[in-house]
Amino acid sequence: GFFAVGVPKSAFCSIDVTTRCNLRCKHCYFFEQGYADERELAVDDWIRKLEALTRQAGLRRYFAFQCSWVGGEPLLRPELIERGRRFFPYNIVVTNGLLELPSWPDVHYFVSIDGTEEAHEAVRGVPGSYRRVKRHACRPDLDVMVTMCINRLNAHTVEEVIAEWDATPVSHIAFEFHTPIRGLAGDDDLWLDPAARDRVLEVILALKDVYGSFILPPARTYRLMQSGACGAVTAACPYARIAPAFGPDGEIKRPCMLGPKADCARCGCIVPFVTRAQFDRRLILEDLWRGLRG
């Protein structure tokens, strides 16, 4: 349907479930946004807000087709997701994996990792966290994908990470790159310059030929992230245009879930690229032609 008619406004949204987190990762954008604990909207107030947004959607039936439940660490406040996910046909919970995943069969879990065990714990600063995350993520009864944010501390581990997680029950793996946050001390040290990023993307694209659909999203997304193409995507971010991002206080934050301090010119978040790749008819047809020729 999206291929035929394009992407409607509010096809997607994100909700910051909580201001709290059980980690303080070196690359995290969230705590630079200045949310205080008391700015969490109460669960009952969230439900009333989602009911009102759904009524406003009218014949569309849903305010948004897909909701990404983020944070903070969203599983620190599972009652909001438990009650709120019924408002959306498709729900994604983005979690750091330190907490056991609730047995929600209709939810798609994105469990974030930061490389191999050594690199992961260098970024997160919690000894033993990697094995804990891996134990929670390896749930054959749930739909779990792992996601890796690539930075200077872990870029060398990509191939090893893919091989390790391919041997587990997780369904897929996906990659994005660190987005610098203005004013965050030491943050630029994590950012990969365009040439370094291109080298990593070449590795991912080559490994996608080996591992196939275990590596998501489609190859055209990673081609859009290369230095010759990425600027055109981030300059007119498709996700920011169609996907409202709600802060933990229930208010819209701009330009996107990364908040106002994100350096959009150096964006490495996969979301704008996968949005463009999913719904750009020309890119989709080019990929189909590649497949036919291959």
Side-chain angles (χ1 to χ4, degrees):
F2 288 156
F3 182 88
V5 302
V7 189
K9 190 176 180 180
S10 296
F12 313 103
C13 74
S14 66
I15 292 176
D16 287 336
V17 176
T18 178
T19 61
R20 295 165 287 138
C21 191
N22 44 12
L23 287 174
R24 289 294 186 276
C25 300
K26 290 181 179 179
H27 64 316
C28 184
Y29 64 88
F30 183 78
F31 292 101
E32 292 303 302
Q33 297 180 48
Y35 290 113
D37 288 350
E38 62 270 16
R39 289 182 65 188
E40 284 187 356
L41 191 66
V43 173
D44 285 345
D45 291 334
W46 265 116
I47 298 305
R48 282 191 284 271
K49 183 181 186 71
L50 293 173
E51 287 172 342
L53 290 169
T54 301
R55 285 194 298 271
Q56 291 170 21
L59 294 177
R60 283 194 295 122
R61 293 183 58 217
Y62 297 103
F63 160 63
F65 173 77
Q66 174 186 299
C67 180
S68 296
W69 302 89
V70 290
E73 169 47 54
L75 293 183
L76 287 172
R77 203 184 187 197
E79 62 273 17
L80 175 53
I81 307 171
E82 177 78 66
R83 294 178 59 188
R85 70 186 200 273
R86 67 183 173 87
F87 292 96
F88 308 96
Y90 195 94
N91 290 272
I92 296 170
V93 172
V94 183
T95 173
N96 62 35
L98 279 184
L99 299 172
E100 187 172 349
L101 306 182
S103 295
W104 294 329
D106 57 336
V107 162
H108 308 270
Y109 288 100
F110 287 10
V111 177
S112 60
I113 59 168
D114 291 309
T116 55
E117 183 171 4
E118 182 180 5
H120 178 94
E121 296 188 358
V123 172
R124 302 207 173 182
V126 179
S129 61
Y130 185 81
R131 295 185 183 186
R132 188 172 165 188
V133 169
K134 194 170 184 181
R135 183 173 70 251
H136 290 155
C138 291
R139 289 277 302 274
D141 59 317
L142 296 175
D143 182 12
V144 180
M145 178 168 81
V146 290
T147 64
M148 177 176 166
C149 183
I150 301 171
N151 56 53
R152 285 190 187 176
L153 295 177
N154 62 22
H156 63 287
T157 70
V158 166
E159 186 167 1
E160 189 177 346
V161 166
I162 293 170
E164 178 180 347
W165 285 91
D166 182 52
T168 72
V170 303
S171 57
H172 304 286
I173 189 169
F175 298 94
E176 60 184 350
F177 291 85
H178 175 66
T179 300
I181 303 299
R182 290 185 290 270
L184 182 58
D187 200 52
D188 277 347
D189 295 337
L190 295 174
W191 180 69
L192 287 178
D193 63 55
R197 185 160 109 171
D198 281 351
R199 288 193 293 271
V200 176
L201 286 165
E202 288 171 6
V203 171
I204 293 171
L205 287 165
L207 290 170
K208 191 155 175 53
D209 288 338
V210 177
Y211 289 91
S213 62
F214 177 66
I215 301 175
L216 287 183
R220 61 181 177 272
T221 301
Y222 295 112
R223 288 195 292 269
L224 283 172
M225 298 177 86
Q226 292 174 318
S227 58
C230 64
V233 177
T234 56
C237 177
Y239 196 77
R241 188 175 67 252
I242 64 172
F246 294 94
D249 55 1
E251 299 298 319
I252 296 283
K253 62 178 181 179
R254 292 183 170 82
C256 66
M257 67 180 74
L258 295 184
K261 293 185 179 181
D263 186 347
C264 295
R266 295 188 288 171
C267 180
C269 175
I270 198 170
V271 171
F273 300 99
V274 77
T275 304
R276 171 76 183 275
Q278 276 183 308
F279 307 118
D280 186 307
R281 297 178 183 90
R282 179 183 60 82
L283 294 173
I284 293 169
L285 291 172
E286 284 177 0
D287 256 16
L288 289 172
W289 176 242
R290 278 191 182 93
L292 290 171
R293 292 182 65 187

